[in-house]
Amino acid sequence: MTSLVAAIVNGLLLGMIYAAISAGLSLTLGVMGLINVAHSAIAMFGAYLAWSAMHAWGIDPVLALALITIGFFFVGMAVERLLVRRVYDEPPEASLLSLFGLMIVLESILVLVFTTTERALPVQYTSAIQIGFVRVGVARLVGGAAALVAILVAHGFLRRSRLGRGIRAMASNRDAARILGVDTERLSMLLFGIGTALAGTGGVAMAMIFPFTPGDHLNWLTLAILVVIIGGLGGLPRTILAALSIGLVESLAGAYLPFQYVSIVLYALLIVTLWIRREGLAGEAVRTL
């Protein structure tokens, strides 16, 4: 019984981290129609920045996470303004190729600077604490809490601010929102910045749990796409629900099945979800923020 509860708790915390790394991809895909394949490479860049900040200046990874999240928000706006905006009126494959090129550039920079040697964030985040009769990994607890805060801030902004209402209108119908006076270019830049900030949060949180190399971002991208597909186009709450489901399934499967079967179970979950609800957990074909 104790092992089951521990698997559930750790699975939920892992799911929150998965939600952070997936939320930005979900937003840019659902609202802007962009398949941001560079999302995971941006997240990996955040992981290496946190590692560098710790080793070069002794900055705690939690503080680095906060700084990276804020910094990546502005980086994301710059990327949208200088790269993504130039291909809005082009065929969809133009934006896909542009972002694929950005992914290759970011991964190449990481390989050149850090090589392919496996890295890990500090040992104090690899310990565990006792909560009741369950031992919880400190890294998962800290990473999950940071991810939850970042997602709640983004969700609160989208739901309650004036700019957030404009983004929601743009999500429903971009052309109609533009006709009604919504500055869609400005809001697209803002939204891409939010997505990039969430990528930074998720990247550092993932690095608190798993060792990483530059090429591992492709695994992160696969995971994020899996979350988005299962969550459907239904906004951040359903993205969180999908990520928590995947975290739970992975944790429970890892506790009771050989490691090589975990991926099979995850993709079986994807098949079953899409078989029952074709548009994922949202059950709808449009995003509702």
Side-chain angles (χ1 to χ4, degrees):
M1 184 63 182
T2 301
S3 61
L4 174 62
V5 175
I8 291 173
V9 172
N10 282 290
L12 289 174
L13 293 173
L14 183 62
M16 280 308 310
I17 296 173
Y18 288 172
I21 206 166
S22 307
L25 181 65
S26 177
L27 287 175
T28 53
L29 175 60
V31 179
M32 302 171 66
L34 291 174
I35 304 175
N36 184 8
V37 292
H39 185 80
S40 59
I42 294 170
M44 185 60 74
F45 219 93
Y48 273 98
L49 284 178
W51 184 89
S52 300
M54 181 196 70
H55 284 82
W57 301 293
I59 297 177
D60 186 271
V62 176
L63 176 59
L65 185 149
L67 296 175
I68 287 168
T69 299
I70 295 171
F72 273 31
F73 172 73
F74 295 102
V75 169
M77 290 199 296
V79 170
E80 193 280 338
R81 180 66 181 85
L82 299 174
L83 177 64
V84 177
R85 188 175 299 184
R86 297 176 181 272
V87 294
Y88 275 150
D89 297 325
E90 302 297 328
E93 55 268 22
S95 61
L96 180 62
L97 289 173
S98 297
L99 291 167
F100 181 79
L102 178 61
M103 179 190 76
I104 297 299
V105 168
L106 292 177
E107 181 180 348
S108 299
I109 291 173
L110 292 176
V111 171
L112 287 172
V113 175
F114 298 100
T115 73
T116 57
T117 302
E118 190 173 77
R119 315 281 177 170
L121 282 181
V123 293
Q124 61 261 36
Y125 290 106
T126 61
S127 60
I129 60 174
Q130 193 76 26
I131 300 179
F133 56 87
V134 176
R135 286 183 65 81
V136 179
V138 175
R140 295 194 185 204
L141 189 61
V142 172
L148 178 61
V149 170
I151 293 174
L152 288 178
V153 170
H155 183 64
F157 171 79
L158 292 171
R159 295 296 301 178
R160 300 185 180 277
S161 70
R162 181 180 178 184
L163 291 174
R165 289 193 292 271
I167 291 173
R168 287 156 53 201
M170 187 174 68
S172 299
N173 191 315
R174 186 184 184 94
D175 293 331
R178 185 187 296 114
I179 292 172
L180 292 174
V182 175
D183 189 347
T184 56
E185 290 189 349
R186 178 190 178 198
L187 293 182
S188 294
M189 182 172 65
L190 182 64
L191 184 67
F192 202 89
I194 293 173
T196 304
L198 289 171
T201 301
V204 179
M206 288 285 281
M208 289 180 179
I209 301 176
F210 304 109
F212 52 94
T213 65
D216 286 340
H217 78 90
L218 294 175
N219 298 328
W220 295 3
L221 180 62
T222 302
L223 176 67
I225 291 173
L226 178 63
V227 171
V228 171
I229 291 174
I230 291 179
L233 300 180
L236 289 180
R238 290 189 178 100
T239 299
I240 295 173
L241 179 59
L244 291 177
S245 300
I246 290 173
L248 273 174
V249 170
E250 181 178 342
S251 182
L252 291 171
Y256 297 102
L257 295 174
F259 175 77
Q260 61 266 28
Y261 292 107
V262 174
S263 296
I264 296 175
V265 173
L266 287 178
Y267 286 100
L269 173 66
L270 170 63
I271 293 170
V272 171
T273 302
L274 295 182
W275 182 37
I276 297 173
R277 299 176 72 87
R278 184 175 57 85
E279 300 295 341
L281 296 177
E284 52 195 19
V286 295
R287 174 164 293 281
T288 53
L289 295 177

